[in-house]
Amino acid sequence: WIRFLVGWMPNYLVYCRPATSLTKLDFTLIPLTDNKSQGIKLAVFPLSQTKALILESRRVTKFSCTTRTERNGVLAYIYDSTLGHQEQYFQPIAPTDRAIETYSCFASPTRDLLLHEGDKVTYEGIAIEMLAHGDFDQVRISRNS
């Protein structure tokens, strides 16, 4: 999200569609670290004037701290623009049954927030399902009518 805001990610890599117009949509996300492939790197679904559901594909890099679980997948979160620095403007949407894991570096232990193949989460009637994972991530997003 910050990459987009500061201009490091051009507009053509961002898909935007109001959540109110959703019924069912399947799409492919290109990992943020992939600089060779063309496609969607950030999917934004505005929920209101101040909140948006955002999806991005994450991959472990040589700079990543690692955990037992490989942290490759889709990060789904709610961005709230009414909140600022040192406030909870970022709310992840992740499966709740994940265990706390310790990192290979000096980082606080956390649970895996990424969606992996077969995962499905829901936020206010919007379902996010990870259909396939490989070099890219195939995602389905649907909204109850």
Side-chain angles (χ1 to χ4, degrees), residues 6-123:
V6 298
W8 296 346
M9 184 184 308
N11 291 349
Y12 66 87
L13 299 176
V14 179
Y15 178 85
C16 187
R17 180 175 178 179
T20 54
S21 72
L22 279 174
T23 52
K24 184 172 110 175
L25 174 68
D26 292 359
F27 59 96
T28 301
L29 283 173
I30 307 298
L32 291 173
T33 56
D34 183 336
N35 294 320
K36 296 177 184 172
S37 304
Q38 292 297 311
I40 300 168
K41 287 195 174 195
L42 184 71
V44 181
F45 301 93
L47 303 170
S48 70
Q49 291 284 19
T50 60
K51 286 186 180 179
L53 166 63
I54 301 175
L55 304 173
E56 53 188 57
S57 179
R58 297 290 185 101
R59 295 295 184 271
V60 172
T61 69
K62 65 182 178 181
F63 302 108
S64 299
C65 292
T66 57
T67 60
R68 181 183 50 77
T69 303
E70 188 172 77
R71 301 286 173 108
N72 292 325
V74 170
L75 179 62
Y77 58 97
I78 301 301
Y79 170 72
D80 184 342
S81 67
T82 64
L83 303 174
H85 185 66
Q86 296 187 350
E87 294 181 294
Q88 295 296 322
Y89 63 87
F90 170 102
Q91 177 190 346
I93 304 167
T96 57
D97 61 349
R98 303 264 170 85
I100 301 291
E101 294 182 304
T102 303
Y103 282 96
S104 63
C105 63
F106 295 104
S108 298
T110 63
R111 64 185 178 96
D112 182 10
L113 298 175
L114 299 179
L115 300 176
H116 303 283
E117 189 169 332
D119 284 343
K120 185 175 183 178
V121 293
T122 303
Y123 177 82

Side-chain angles (χ1 to χ4, degrees), residues 133-145:
H133 170 73
D135 291 337
F136 310 120
D137 292 312
Q138 187 177 7
V139 179
R140 172 173 292 148
I141 186 166
S142 56
R143 181 181 178 94
N144 296 339
S145 54

